């Protein structure tokens, strides 16, 4: 069986107005996330799929993100199979942070230092 290569994009190449889906757990989200991203932990994705499709609208690309790229790769594969235009953010939040992209946290607006461990 042949599988198409998973669509990926570098964190630095995600458009500033791109739609982001963060599939990390609640504690990871609280430690630091992208302002405006839709947060649906991977274990809730199937149950909340309608929320995603309502949020993203027709034909808009979904940039899927987790901590380093493993969970988001699984979700990207699922979304592509459902007919959505989805890409995995290569390197996840660690790459996003390393690229100097903006982030906020649930506490005071700055990312938690534990986030990058």
């Amino acid at each position: 069986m042949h599988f198409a290569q998973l669509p990926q994009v570098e964190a630095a190449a995600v458009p500033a107005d791109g739609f982001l889906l963060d599939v990390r757990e609640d504690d990871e989200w609280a430690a630091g996330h992208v302002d405006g991203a839709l947060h649906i932990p991977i274990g809730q994705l199937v149950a909340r799929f309608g929320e995603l499709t309502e949020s993203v609208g027709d034909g808009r690309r979904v940039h899927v993100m987790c901590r380093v790229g493993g969970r988001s790769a699984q979700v990207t594969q699922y979304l592509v199979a459902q007919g959505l235009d989805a890409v995995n953010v290569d390197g996840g939040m660690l790459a996003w942070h390393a690229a100097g992209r903006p982030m906020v946290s649930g506490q005071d607006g700055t990312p938690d230092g534990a986030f990058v461990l």
Side-chain angles (χ1 to χ4, degrees), residues 8-74:
Q8 293 197 120
V9 64
E10 297 291 325
V14 175
D17 64 346
F19 184 89
L20 283 166
L21 171 64
D22 190 322
V23 298
R24 296 174 303 146
E25 298 303 317
D26 291 338
D27 60 329
E28 295 172 293
W29 171 264
H33 59 270
V34 178
D35 193 24
L38 176 63
H39 177 227
I40 302 179
I42 189 171
Q44 299 174 22
L45 183 71
V46 174
R48 295 175 61 189
F49 186 73
E51 184 181 333
L52 169 62
T53 56
E54 283 180 25
S55 297
V56 75
D58 272 347
R60 192 162 178 212
R61 174 165 280 179
V62 179
H63 298 84
V64 188
M65 179 180 286
C66 66
R67 183 174 167 85
V68 295
R71 289 170 286 179
S72 56
Q74 293 174 33

